[in-house]
Every structure is written in C-alpha cells, then in structure tokens.
Amino acid sequence: QKEVEQDPGPLSVPEGAIVSLNCTYSNSAFQYFMWYRQYSRKGPELLMYTYSSGNKEDGRFTAQVDKSSKYISLFIRDSQPSDSATYLCAMSATNAGKSTFGDGTTLTVKP
Amino acid sequence: DVKVTQSSRYLVKRTGEKVFLECVQDMDHENMFWYRQDPGLGLRLIYFSYDVKMKEKGDIPEGYSVSREKKERFSLILESASTNQTSMYLCASSLPTGHGYTFGSGTRLTVV
C-alpha cells in the first residue's frame, strides 16, 4: 500500500469549470503538503505549499488539508486550457525532510 | 530567475557504461535530491543530501551513487547502466523550510 494515493484521472473538463484534485495519505507524521504542476516533458513546478490543516488560497488555486481525515485537495477555479497538465501532490514529515509524491492526475481543460 | 540546471535533456547510453548526471543550483539551497519518474510508478527518491559531502539513501538507491563536493552541485552516478534504468531523472533542491522543491527540467535517459 502506497503512503500517498492520488486520484488517477485522467480528468477532462470544459473551460471555466471548477476542478478538484485529491490525495489521501496514511502517514500521520506528514505535516507539510505541496502541490506541483508538470507540463509534458518538463520538470514539476511548485504551485502551493501548506503546513498542517487548513486552507490556503492563491489566485484561482485553493489548497485544503484535513489532517483528521488524511485528505488533501487542490481546487482550480475558472479553469483555463493553460491549466492542462499533470498535477502532483507531495508531503513530508519535517521542514527539511524528503517528500513523498502521489502518482499524479492528468488534467485536460477543453476550450 | 532561480534555477536548477541539469546538464543534459536527453542521453542515450549503452548497457554497462558508467553514466554521470549533473545537477547545479544557484539558490544556495542546503538540500538536494535525485528522483526518477516512470509511468505508473510516479516519482521515486534515489538519493538526497542535506549538506556538502553528505548523502542519504532514498527508496531505490540500488545501482546508483551520488557525489556532493560543492554545495551547488549534486551528481548522480549509474555505476553500470542497465536497461531498467531507462527513465526520466529529476534533480531538485530546497531550503529546510517545508516550502517545497525547485526542480530541474529533467534528463531523459535511455539505456540500450
């Protein structure tokens, strides 16, 4: 059983839709949670990071962490074709520690 | 613009060759990491380093070694390349803040 499970997708939505991307985890020591976006044939780029439970908003993106349920989500509002990419969740137990990644969800936003 | 630079985007090597993958960061980050990414398997940690001349094994270190002689440079070495090491290799660096990694663009290695 993997420590981090991510909804596999693929996900296809029309432009302007609200997108929900989700991960669950089993290691209760995880405290730091990250979301990355990866375009085809590129390295992942950091979108958002959060510490412990709660919400964090950055423009059209909102990250949610529910540590009691061991569940994290990334919401994308008013999705755009340029949001089409693979999204990776990642988490770590310490601020200096190695991250464990989900397998990624591929999102396509159709014009 | 801060950067993690991987020396090659594409490499083709023969079975049994010794392969060096180089990674340089210009952000004065303490932490550096090597992952490989394969379809269906996600990102898997090979080795990481929290300081110069220091290294720690990740989840799949077999067949690999690393070198960190300077803070900005972290090299991954495939001692004797095999076909099952064909993969996308990603280098990353970070500060010890929990604020995530900066990744390089990746090296797609094919071993024939």
Side-chain angles (χ1 to χ4, degrees):
Chain A
Q1 191 75 8
K2 290 183 177 180
E3 277 191 304
V4 178
E5 298 277 1
Q6 186 166 0
D7 289 353
L11 203 55
S12 181
V13 301
E15 184 174 352
I18 296 174
V19 176
S20 171
L21 304 165
N22 307 296
C23 290
T24 58
Y25 63 94
S26 58
N27 187 346
S28 57
F30 288 146
Q31 297 189 81
Y32 296 86
F33 304 93
M34 284 71 68
W35 286 95
Y36 294 84
R37 177 175 63 198
Q38 186 175 22
Y39 292 115
S40 182
R41 288 185 288 277
K42 300 278 191 181
E45 59 176 321
L46 180 68
L47 275 177
M48 299 184 72
Y49 60 86
T50 54
Y51 171 70
S52 195
S53 283
N55 292 359
K56 185 175 182 179
E57 189 172 317
D58 184 2
R60 297 185 294 111
F61 298 89
T62 299
Q64 274 188 0
V65 175
D66 181 349
K67 288 188 70 180
S68 62
S69 302
K70 297 191 179 70
Y71 190 90
I72 72 170
S73 298
L74 178 71
F75 297 96
I76 307 174
R77 290 184 300 279
D78 186 25
S79 56
Q80 303 295 310
S82 58
D83 295 327
S84 298
T86 297
Y87 289 80
L88 301 162
C89 64
M91 37 199 88
S92 62
T94 67
N95 61 358
K98 56 184 180 174
S99 290
T100 301
F101 285 79
D103 288 351
T105 302
T106 298
L107 170 68
T108 301
V109 181
K110 296 185 175 179
Chain B
D1 196 16
V2 294
K3 273 192 175 174
V4 175
T5 302
Q6 294 184 232
S7 53
S8 304
R9 290 299 307 276
Y10 300 95
L11 273 180
V12 180
K13 296 292 182 181
R14 296 196 179 275
T15 302
E17 275 193 78
K18 191 169 186 177
V19 181
F20 293 85
L21 302 182
E22 305 288 344
C23 176
V24 177
Q25 52 97 0
D26 64 1
M27 296 164 286
D28 202 33
H29 284 176
E30 285 87 349
N31 305 335
M32 296 189 76
F33 306 84
W34 275 106
Y35 286 83
R36 63 177 284 178
Q37 185 175 31
D38 301 287
L41 297 175
L43 273 81
R44 293 180 290 167
L45 182 63
I46 306 170
Y47 267 97
F48 59 104
S49 170
Y50 290 149
D51 202 351
V52 177
K53 297 192 186 294
M54 173 272 175
K55 60 187 177 185
E56 295 271 355
K57 291 180 180 179
D59 300 318
I60 51 162
E62 296 78 19
Y64 303 95
S65 63
V66 290
S67 172
R68 194 169 182 197
E69 296 295 318
K70 294 185 177 182
K71 188 176 185 179
E72 66 270 19
R73 187 180 296 270
F74 193 37
S75 303
L76 180 69
I77 303 150
L78 285 67
E79 297 292 343
S80 177
S82 63
T83 54
N84 63 13
Q85 292 179 310
T86 291
S87 186
M88 168 73 105
Y89 288 87
L90 290 162
C91 176
S93 71
S94 74
L95 291 168
T97 58
H99 294 178
Y101 297 167
T102 301
F103 278 93
S105 296
T107 296
R108 187 165 292 281
L109 173 68
T110 302
V111 182
V112 298

